[in-house]
Amino acid sequence: MRVIIYAAGVSKRLKSIAGNGLKGLLKLNGKLIIEHQLDWIIKQPISDIVIVLGLEHEQYKQTLGNSYKGVSIIYVYNPDYKNKGNMLSLWHARDYCDTDVLFTTSDLICNYEDIAEFNFSNYQNKILVDSRSKNLFCDEDPVKVFIDNGMIKGIHKDINQLTNVDGLAIGLYQFSLIGIQAIISVIEKNILNGLDDLSLYCAVGGILADYEVKPVFAKKCVWHDIDTPSDFDNANTGI
C-alpha cells in the first residue's frame, strides 16, 4: 500500500497564521501538523509516502527530507494548485496509483483510536466517517456522505446533492488498486470534459454506483480539519 498526502493548498483562510500557505508546517502541540499525520502513517505496512505539493512548497522537502523515520518520501508537484480543483493533485500523482492507496491531507488532526479503527477494518474501499457530529451536517464546509445498506452511495459538500446526510467524511480514504484506478479514470473524463476545477470528493462520488465503498465509523469523533485560525486554536486543545 502507498500513502498519498495532499499538501498543495494555499491556505487562504489561515493566512494570518500561515502566511506562506504551508499550514502543514505549523507547530501544533509540540510538532508539525504534518508530523501528526506521518507518525501514524509510518506504523502502517506501506511502501512509501507521496506528498503532493504546489510549486511554492519546496520548504516541505527542505524540512522533511527524502524520508521520515526510515520511510521513503516521494514529492510530486501539482502545477494547477492555485486555480483548479484539488482533484488534480491525485491526477498528478497518478503514476503512483499502481497499488492500494490511502490518501489524506496534511492539515487533518484525528484521534489515533479512530485512525486505528480505520486501519484495522478489512474493507478494500473505505472512508472514515463521523456520524455523531450532527451539528455539522448542515455546515457548508465538511464533506458529507449518504449511506444506504451499509455502503456509501453519495458524497458531497452540498447537502442538496445528497438523498440524506448520514455522516461526515473526516478525511481518510483508502481504495484498492481497482478502486483507485477507477477514480483516476473519472478524473481523466472530467478533465477531457473541461471539468478540471472539481474537488477530489467529486471523483470519489463518480465510482460509488459501481464499486462497494464502506464507511468506517469513528468512535471518538475527535478530529480537526485545520482551515481557519479557530480550527488551529481548537486543535491545540488536543485530540
Coordinates of all heavy atoms in Angstrom, one line a residue, residues 25-67:
L25 N 3.2 22.8 8.0 CA 4.5 23.0 8.7 C 4.3 23.9 9.9 O 5.3 24.2 10.6 CB 5.5 23.6 7.8 CG 5.9 22.8 6.6 CD1 7.0 23.5 5.7 CD2 6.4 21.4 7.0
L26 N 3.1 24.2 10.3 CA 2.8 24.9 11.5 C 3.0 24.0 12.7 O 2.7 22.8 12.6 CB 1.4 25.5 11.6 CG 1.0 26.6 10.6 CD1 -0.4 26.9 10.7 CD2 1.9 27.9 11.0
K27 N 3.5 24.5 13.8 CA 3.6 23.6 15.0 C 2.3 23.6 15.8 O 1.7 24.6 16.1 CB 4.8 24.1 15.9 CG 6.1 23.7 15.4 CD 7.0 23.4 16.6 CE 8.3 22.6 16.1 NZ 9.2 22.4 17.2
L28 N 2.0 22.3 16.2 CA 0.7 22.1 16.9 C 1.0 21.1 18.0 O 1.5 20.0 17.7 CB -0.4 21.6 16.0 CG -1.7 21.3 16.6 CD1 -2.4 22.7 16.9 CD2 -2.6 20.5 15.6
N29 N 0.8 21.5 19.2 CA 1.1 20.6 20.4 C 2.5 20.0 20.3 O 2.7 18.8 20.5 CB 0.1 19.4 20.4 CG -1.3 19.9 20.7 OD1 -1.5 20.9 21.4 ND2 -2.3 19.3 20.1
G30 N 3.5 20.8 19.9 CA 4.9 20.4 20.0 C 5.5 19.8 18.8 O 6.7 19.6 18.7
K31 N 4.7 19.6 17.7 CA 5.3 19.1 16.5 C 4.5 19.6 15.3 O 3.4 20.1 15.4 CB 5.4 17.6 16.5 CG 4.0 16.8 16.6 CD 4.3 15.3 16.7 CE 3.0 14.5 16.9 NZ 3.3 13.1 17.0
L32 N 5.1 19.5 14.1 CA 4.5 20.0 12.9 C 3.1 19.3 12.6 O 3.0 18.1 13.0 CB 5.4 19.8 11.7 CG 6.8 20.4 11.8 CD1 7.6 20.1 10.5 CD2 6.7 21.9 12.0
I33 N 2.2 20.0 12.1 CA 0.9 19.3 11.8 C 1.1 18.1 10.9 O 0.5 17.1 11.2 CB -0.1 20.4 11.1 CG1 -0.5 21.5 12.1 CG2 -1.3 19.7 10.5 CD1 -1.3 22.6 11.5
I34 N 1.9 18.2 9.9 CA 2.1 17.1 9.0 C 2.8 15.9 9.7 O 2.6 14.7 9.4 CB 2.9 17.4 7.7 CG1 2.7 16.3 6.7 CG2 4.3 17.7 8.0 CD1 3.2 16.7 5.3
E35 N 3.5 16.2 10.8 CA 4.2 15.1 11.5 C 3.1 14.3 12.3 O 3.3 13.1 12.6 CB 5.2 15.7 12.5 CG 6.5 16.1 11.7 CD 7.5 16.7 12.7 OE1 7.1 17.3 13.7 OE2 8.7 16.6 12.3
H36 N 2.0 15.0 12.7 CA 1.0 14.2 13.4 C 0.4 13.1 12.4 O 0.1 12.0 12.9 CB -0.2 15.2 13.8 CG 0.1 16.0 14.9 ND1 -0.1 15.6 16.2 CD2 0.6 17.3 15.0 CE1 0.3 16.6 17.1 NE2 0.7 17.6 16.3
Q37 N 0.4 13.5 11.1 CA 0.0 12.5 10.1 C 1.0 11.4 9.9 O 0.7 10.2 10.0 CB -0.3 13.2 8.8 CG -1.5 14.1 8.8 CD -2.8 13.4 8.5 OE1 -3.0 12.3 9.1 NE2 -3.6 13.9 7.7
L38 N 2.2 11.9 9.7 CA 3.3 10.9 9.4 C 3.6 9.9 10.5 O 3.9 8.8 10.3 CB 4.6 11.7 9.1 CG 4.6 12.6 7.8 CD1 5.8 13.4 7.7 CD2 4.4 11.7 6.6
D39 N 3.4 10.3 11.8 CA 3.7 9.4 12.9 C 2.8 8.2 12.9 O 3.2 7.2 13.4 CB 3.6 10.2 14.2 CG 4.9 11.0 14.5 OD1 5.9 10.7 13.8 OD2 4.9 11.9 15.3
W40 N 1.5 8.4 12.5 CA 0.7 7.2 12.4 C 0.8 6.5 11.1 O 0.7 5.2 11.0 CB -0.8 7.5 12.7 CG -1.5 8.3 11.8 CD1 -1.8 9.6 11.8 CD2 -2.1 7.9 10.5 NE1 -2.6 10.1 10.8 CE2 -2.8 9.0 9.9 CE3 -2.2 6.6 9.9 CZ2 -3.4 8.9 8.7 CZ3 -2.9 6.6 8.7 CH2 -3.5 7.7 8.1
I41 N 1.1 7.2 10.1 CA 1.3 6.6 8.7 C 2.4 5.6 8.7 O 2.3 4.5 8.1 CB 1.5 7.7 7.7 CG1 0.1 8.4 7.4 CG2 2.1 7.1 6.4 CD1 0.3 9.6 6.5
I42 N 3.5 6.0 9.3 CA 4.7 5.1 9.2 C 4.6 3.8 10.0 O 5.4 2.8 9.8 CB 6.0 5.8 9.7 CG1 5.9 6.2 11.2 CG2 6.3 7.0 8.8 CD1 7.2 6.7 11.8
K43 N 3.5 3.7 10.8 CA 3.2 2.4 11.5 C 2.5 1.4 10.7 O 2.2 0.3 11.1 CB 2.5 2.7 12.8 CG 3.3 3.6 13.8 CD 2.4 3.9 15.0 CE 3.2 4.8 16.0 NZ 2.4 5.2 17.1
Q44 N 2.0 1.9 9.5 CA 1.3 1.0 8.6 C 2.2 0.2 7.6 O 3.4 0.7 7.4 CB 0.3 1.9 7.7 CG -0.5 2.9 8.5 CD -1.2 2.3 9.7 OE1 -1.8 1.3 9.6 NE2 -1.0 3.0 10.9
P45 N 1.7 -0.9 7.1 CA 2.6 -1.6 6.1 C 2.6 -1.0 4.8 O 1.8 -1.4 3.9 CB 1.9 -3.0 6.1 CG 0.4 -2.7 6.4 CD 0.5 -1.5 7.4
I46 N 3.3 0.1 4.6 CA 3.3 0.9 3.4 C 4.7 0.8 2.7 O 5.7 0.5 3.3 CB 3.0 2.3 3.6 CG1 4.0 3.0 4.6 CG2 1.6 2.4 4.2 CD1 3.8 4.5 4.8
S47 N 4.7 1.0 1.4 CA 5.9 1.0 0.6 C 6.6 2.4 0.7 O 7.8 2.4 0.8 CB 5.6 0.7 -0.9 OG 4.7 1.6 -1.4
D48 N 5.9 3.4 0.6 CA 6.4 4.8 0.7 C 5.3 5.8 0.9 O 4.1 5.4 0.9 CB 7.3 5.1 -0.5 CG 6.6 4.7 -1.8 OD1 5.4 4.9 -2.0 OD2 7.3 4.1 -2.7
I49 N 5.7 7.0 1.0 CA 4.7 8.1 1.2 C 4.9 9.1 0.0 O 6.1 9.5 -0.3 CB 5.0 8.9 2.5 CG1 4.8 7.9 3.7 CG2 4.0 10.1 2.6 CD1 5.4 8.4 5.0
V50 N 3.8 9.5 -0.6 CA 3.9 10.5 -1.7 C 3.2 11.8 -1.1 O 2.1 11.7 -0.6 CB 3.1 10.1 -3.0 CG1 3.1 11.2 -4.0 CG2 3.8 8.8 -3.6
I51 N 4.0 12.9 -1.2 CA 3.4 14.2 -0.8 C 3.2 15.0 -2.0 O 4.2 15.3 -2.7 CB 4.3 14.9 0.3 CG1 4.5 14.0 1.5 CG2 3.7 16.2 0.7 CD1 5.3 14.6 2.6
V52 N 2.0 15.5 -2.2 CA 1.7 16.3 -3.4 C 1.8 17.8 -3.0 O 1.1 18.2 -2.1 CB 0.3 16.0 -4.0 CG1 0.1 16.9 -5.3 CG2 0.2 14.6 -4.3
L53 N 2.7 18.6 -3.6 CA 2.9 19.9 -3.3 C 2.6 20.9 -4.4 O 2.5 20.5 -5.6 CB 4.4 20.1 -3.0 CG 5.0 19.2 -1.9 CD1 6.6 19.4 -1.8 CD2 4.4 19.5 -0.5
G54 N 2.4 22.2 -4.0 CA 2.4 23.2 -5.0 C 3.8 23.6 -5.4 O 4.7 23.2 -4.7
L55 N 3.9 24.4 -6.4 CA 5.2 24.8 -6.9 C 6.0 25.7 -5.9 O 7.2 25.8 -6.0 CB 5.1 25.5 -8.3 CG 4.5 24.7 -9.4 CD1 4.4 25.5 -10.7 CD2 5.4 23.5 -9.7
E56 N 5.3 26.3 -5.0 CA 6.0 27.2 -4.0 C 6.1 26.5 -2.6 O 6.3 27.2 -1.6 CB 5.1 28.5 -3.9 CG 5.0 29.2 -5.2 CD 4.0 30.4 -5.1 OE1 3.5 30.6 -4.0 OE2 3.7 30.9 -6.2
H57 N 6.0 25.2 -2.6 CA 6.0 24.5 -1.3 C 7.3 23.7 -1.1 O 7.3 22.7 -0.4 CB 4.8 23.5 -1.3 CG 3.5 24.2 -1.3 ND1 3.1 25.1 -2.2 CD2 2.4 24.0 -0.4 CE1 1.9 25.5 -1.9 NE2 1.4 24.9 -0.9
E58 N 8.4 24.2 -1.6 CA 9.6 23.5 -1.5 C 10.1 23.3 -0.1 O 10.9 22.4 0.2 CB 10.7 24.2 -2.3 CG 12.0 23.4 -2.5 CD 11.8 22.2 -3.4 OE1 10.8 22.1 -4.2 OE2 12.7 21.3 -3.4
Q59 N 9.6 24.1 0.8 CA 10.0 24.1 2.2 C 9.6 22.7 2.9 O 10.3 22.3 3.8 CB 9.4 25.2 3.0 CG 10.0 25.4 4.4 CD 9.5 26.6 5.1 OE1 9.0 27.6 4.5 NE2 9.6 26.6 6.4
Y60 N 8.6 22.1 2.3 CA 8.2 20.8 2.9 C 9.4 19.8 2.7 O 9.8 19.1 3.6 CB 7.0 20.2 2.1 CG 5.7 20.7 2.7 CD1 5.0 21.7 2.1 CD2 5.1 20.0 3.8 CE1 3.7 22.1 2.6 CE2 3.9 20.4 4.4 CZ 3.2 21.5 3.8 OH 2.0 21.9 4.3
K61 N 9.9 19.8 1.5 CA 11.1 18.9 1.2 C 12.3 19.3 2.0 O 13.0 18.4 2.5 CB 11.4 19.0 -0.3 CG 12.4 18.0 -0.8 CD 12.5 17.9 -2.3 CE 13.4 16.8 -2.8 NZ 13.5 16.8 -4.3
Q62 N 12.5 20.6 2.1 CA 13.7 21.0 2.9 C 13.5 20.6 4.4 O 14.5 20.3 5.1 CB 13.8 22.6 2.8 CG 14.2 23.0 1.4 CD 14.1 24.6 1.3 OE1 13.7 25.3 2.2 NE2 14.4 25.1 0.1
T63 N 12.3 20.6 4.9 CA 12.0 20.3 6.3 C 12.0 18.8 6.6 O 12.6 18.3 7.5 CB 10.7 20.9 6.8 OG1 10.7 22.3 6.6 CG2 10.4 20.6 8.2
L64 N 11.4 18.1 5.7 CA 11.2 16.6 5.9 C 12.3 15.8 5.3 O 12.5 14.6 5.8 CB 9.8 16.2 5.4 CG 8.6 16.8 6.0 CD1 7.3 16.4 5.3 CD2 8.5 16.5 7.5
G65 N 12.9 16.2 4.2 CA 13.9 15.5 3.5 C 13.2 14.3 2.7 O 12.0 14.4 2.4
N66 N 14.0 13.3 2.4 CA 13.6 12.3 1.5 C 13.1 11.0 2.2 O 12.8 10.0 1.6 CB 14.7 11.9 0.5 CG 15.0 13.0 -0.5 OD1 14.1 13.6 -1.0 ND2 16.3 13.2 -0.7
S67 N 13.0 11.1 3.5 CA 12.4 10.0 4.3 C 12.0 10.6 5.7 O 12.4 11.6 6.1 CB 13.5 8.9 4.5 OG 14.5 9.3 5.3

